[in-house]
Amino acid sequence: MPIKDPRTGKEIIVVDTTLRDGEQTAGVVFSNHEKIAIADLLDEIGVDQLEVGIPTMGGDEKAAIKKIAQRGLKASIMAWNRAVISDIEQSIDCGADAVAISISVSDIHIEHKLKTSREWVLESMLKSVEYAKKNGVYVSVNGEDASRADRDFLVQFITEAKKAGADRFRYCDTVGIMEPFKINKVIKDLRETTNFDIEMHTHNDFGMATANAIAGILGGATHVGVTVNGLGERAGNAALEEVFMALKHVYGYELDVDTKRFRELSEYVSRASGRELPSWKAIVGTNMFAHESGIHADGAIKNPKNYEAFSPDEVGLARQLVIGKHSGRASILKKFEEYGEELDNKAADWLLEKVRETSVNLKRSLFDKELVQLYREYKKVVK
């Protein structure tokens, strides 16, 4: 288990669903070799459980899931299913040691999506759980749209799933409508009422997926679902790298995971998914440790802790001193020190003026070769 609260001993199991919910991002398709490579990377980093796809789709999807299940990874391999026996048969055939059985629990979905009743939902869930447990696999019962479900029905659903032998309940904030203060109370109530393991599965429609996932953990959730880079349907899911690093640095949890490979993992998933990894992306974006503003750059030069919450090498990045419109003299001096040139204040002031002027004209920061060229111009002027 890669996450632990040292104060209480509580351990959190991480469930990565990049290969299932992440690939359900509109327009994203992973090739089979990419799926296997991502599974390997996640396993090497230390993720507990990988939700790797939907076997009932057949074809390449099922073939990739089988190959991943046969690789002997340390992580548990979970396959996603509807509450349908034939789906679960396909998952078992793939060699998955765990199944997620998903069914809607909100009246909105039951009436307008499934066009059925709460009784039918309970019956379908129970039959599926019982079948899966008879076949010796771990079972997560997923409450789709749980955040809009009636509280009493949700308690009934979880209680019945527990009696049938399910191992945990996945609380799905399917349309991302929750907020941290509310979801913390909801999860605390469900844990106290049912005494059952709960996984957080949060979506980012209002930009709160990571916050909601962590709030659920603080409320008592035992598992957390994530995707690399927050990939997922619509606005995405809670980002793996954000959840890990926030729990470590904001909440003081201990991590048994190779965070130094986060940038490598994020870059690979970005390329495989065809989705740009923004420079401003939290935790793994290159701008996390890029300093341009004069005051900030000066502070970072004096002591990186002035403007960095953690060291860049912790996630596989490097600190950058960016020279542009907002730079100050200290940045110019430090940058040329990297080139092996010790400038005096006169040279630094001249270059700073030219840097700002050039940066405005180009509408960007300057490349190293452009700085060197400006310095050559300065040398000509002072001769």
Side-chain angles (χ1 to χ4, degrees):
M1 295 183 188
I3 300 177
K4 181 179 179 179
D5 184 345
R7 293 150 296 203
T8 64
K10 178 183 177 181
E11 296 178 326
I12 305 298
I13 292 174
V14 177
V15 183
D16 184 277
T17 184
T18 302
L19 297 177
R20 196 276 301 175
D21 208 344
E23 196 186 28
Q24 287 178 208
T25 304
V28 170
V29 179
F30 295 128
S31 68
N32 282 16
H33 83 268
E34 287 171 338
K35 276 205 159 192
I36 292 167
I38 292 169
D40 285 349
L41 276 169
L42 289 166
D43 185 61
E44 290 166 10
I45 282 169
V47 174
D48 295 291
Q49 189 170 67
L50 311 180
E51 188 173 50
V52 296
I54 307 172
T56 196
M57 288 176 63
D60 283 341
E61 177 80 351
K62 186 173 180 180
I65 294 168
K66 274 190 172 183
K67 287 179 180 178
I68 292 170
Q70 292 167 357
R71 293 185 73 76
L73 303 181
K74 297 185 293 295
S76 165
I77 304 303
M78 172 173 277
W80 188 96
N81 311 263
R82 297 166 297 176
V84 177
I85 300 299
S86 60
D87 278 24
I88 299 167
E89 289 174 339
Q90 296 282 356
S91 293
I92 293 170
D93 182 57
C94 283
D97 60 71
V99 294
I101 298 173
S102 186
I103 194 165
S104 297
V105 291
S106 71
D107 289 331
I108 296 171
H109 276 211
I110 293 170
E111 294 172 15
H112 301 290
K113 175 188 169 184
L114 301 179
K115 297 186 182 298
T116 185
S117 64
R118 290 181 178 181
E119 290 71 28
W120 182 90
V121 167
L122 287 172
E123 183 181 352
S124 299
M125 178 270 290
L126 290 171
K127 286 181 179 178
S128 299
V129 171
E130 288 167 359
Y131 179 81
K133 293 308 295 183
K134 283 178 183 177
N135 283 274
V137 292
Y138 179 100
V139 175
S140 169
V141 173
N142 302 356
E144 185 179 358
D145 207 27
S147 53
R148 293 192 291 182
D150 174 75
R151 184 263 182 193
D152 291 338
F153 177 64
L154 199 56
V155 169
Q156 181 186 3
F157 181 90
I158 295 170
T159 302
E160 293 296 322
K162 182 180 179 182
K163 287 180 181 177
D167 296 282
R168 74 170 184 256
F169 171 70
R170 177 179 290 175
Y171 182 97
C172 302
D173 183 21
T174 300
V175 291
I177 59 161
M178 293 297 277
E179 51 86 12
F181 299 100
K182 183 177 181 180
I183 208 167
N184 178 272
K185 292 178 181 178
V186 168
I187 299 304
K188 185 177 182 181
D189 172 58
L190 289 176
R191 280 282 288 164
E192 291 176 349
T193 304
T194 66
N195 190 31
F196 198 47
D197 284 353
I198 296 176
E199 174 194 342
M200 300 307 302
H201 181 87
T202 55
H203 280 267
N204 205 40
D205 297 70
F206 288 95
M208 292 188 280
T210 295
N212 283 336
I214 292 171
I217 290 171
L218 299 179
T222 53
H223 298 63
V224 60
V226 295
T227 62
V228 180
N229 300 336
L231 199 64
E233 294 191 75
R234 303 182 314 282
N237 293 36
L240 174 149
E241 61 280 359
E242 294 174 12
V243 170
F244 270 121
M245 296 301 283
L247 285 173
K248 177 181 180 179
H249 288 284
V250 179
Y251 293 96
Y253 281 61
E254 295 175 349
L255 303 186
D256 183 16
V257 63
D258 189 0
T259 64
K260 292 181 182 295
R261 299 187 70 184
F262 278 2
R263 174 68 189 190
E264 174 192 353
L265 174 64
S266 290
E267 285 184 319
Y268 187 84
V269 171
S270 173
R271 289 194 300 271
S273 62
R275 294 296 181 269
E276 178 188 358
L277 183 60
S279 59
W280 60 89
K281 171 70 179 67
I283 308 300
V284 291
T286 53
N287 273 4
M288 275 290 295
F289 303 97
H291 305 283
E292 178 181 342
S293 171
I295 295 173
H296 282 218
D298 180 57
I301 290 168
K302 291 172 178 173
N303 188 332
K305 290 182 179 180
N306 283 325
Y307 288 104
E308 294 174 0
F310 55 90
S311 176
D313 60 6
E314 196 172 332
V315 291
L317 284 169
R319 185 173 300 109
Q320 300 177 67
L321 194 58
V322 176
I323 304 299
K325 176 185 175 181
H326 302 286
S327 295
R329 182 197 289 174
S331 296
I332 298 292
L333 292 169
K334 183 66 176 178
K335 194 67 176 178
F336 276 86
E337 185 180 303
E338 294 175 7
Y339 302 152
E341 292 284 348
E342 189 171 335
L343 302 182
D344 57 26
N345 288 338
K346 180 181 176 181
D349 288 341
W350 188 95
L351 284 166
L352 181 58
E353 182 180 346
K354 289 297 182 181
V355 161
R356 289 174 175 172
E357 179 184 318
T358 306
S359 180
V360 170
N361 290 336
L362 296 175
K363 292 182 66 64
R364 61 169 171 79
S365 56
L366 274 62
F367 302 129
D368 284 3
K369 62 182 180 180
E370 292 168 331
L371 290 172
V372 172
Q373 182 59 38
L374 286 178
Y375 183 60
R376 287 173 181 161
E377 289 181 20
Y378 170 74
K379 296 289 281 185
K380 290 177 183 178
V381 170
V382 296
K383 279 186 177 179

